[in-house]
Amino acid sequence: MKIQENLKKLRIQMGFSQLQLGQILGTDASNYSRKERGKVKIYDDEWEKLAKALNVRLEDIKDHQEKSALQSQDQLSGSHITYLNVPDFILETQQKYIEKLEKENMELLKENIKLKAPK
């Protein structure tokens, strides 16, 4: 079961609304909803607050596989290969940042060309 599905199931079973759990985390219902859907990261201290509020062990709601990395050794070359399980929201954030940097880079290149142009 996905982390978010497990968290949502427990929240509903315990009779909590997204607003109530959001308040426990110090956020609004909208941001909590994004956390529950996996769009926004739930930090370790927030997982602890959620476990306490839902009266469950941390391990019961947080899937530790999210943090895992699988390392293996290539038998032919002897090199190590690391496979990481990176959450989608991190990849999306990084992609937006790359796009922003590319745009800024293009603007700087244009400005550089203008500054180097003969007057």
Side-chain angles (χ1 to χ4, degrees), residues 33-47:
S33 175
R34 287 190 293 274
K35 288 177 181 288
E36 191 175 80
R37 289 180 287 132
K39 302 293 181 187
V40 176
K41 179 178 176 156
I42 301 175
Y43 294 94
D44 288 339
D45 64 318
E46 293 174 323
W47 279 116

Side-chain angles (χ1 to χ4, degrees), residues 25-38:
L25 298 183
T27 189
D28 59 21
S30 175
N31 192 46
Y32 175 81
S33 175
R34 287 190 293 274
K35 288 177 181 288
E36 191 175 80
R37 289 180 287 132

Side-chain angles (χ1 to χ4, degrees), residues 96-111:
K96 288 177 184 176
Y97 185 64
I98 289 169
E99 290 169 5
K100 177 182 181 249
L101 291 174
E102 287 173 342
K103 182 180 177 185
E104 289 176 3
N105 192 34
M106 289 303 294
E107 291 171 4
L108 288 170
L109 287 171
K110 289 176 186 176
E111 184 178 340

Side-chain angles (χ1 to χ4, degrees), residues 74-92:
D74 185 329
Q75 298 300 320
L76 297 175
S77 68
S79 63
H80 289 281
I81 302 170
T82 302
Y83 302 92
L84 298 174
N85 182 13
V86 180
D88 288 339
F89 73 90
I90 292 176
L91 296 175
E92 291 168 6

Side-chain angles (χ1 to χ4, degrees), residues 6-20:
N6 192 23
L7 180 57
K8 181 178 180 180
K9 182 180 173 184
L10 280 168
R11 174 181 60 78
I12 293 170
Q13 284 177 346
M14 297 299 291
F16 283 100
S17 68
Q18 290 182 334
L19 175 63
Q20 290 170 314

Side-chain angles (χ1 to χ4, degrees), residues 45-69:
D45 64 318
E46 293 174 323
W47 279 116
E48 291 171 11
K49 291 175 185 177
L50 291 170
K52 185 176 180 180
L54 296 169
N55 197 29
V56 294
R57 295 178 315 141
L58 183 61
E59 297 79 26
D60 293 339
I61 60 171
K62 185 177 180 187
D63 183 358
H64 294 284
Q65 291 177 349
E66 180 182 354
K67 294 181 178 180
S68 69

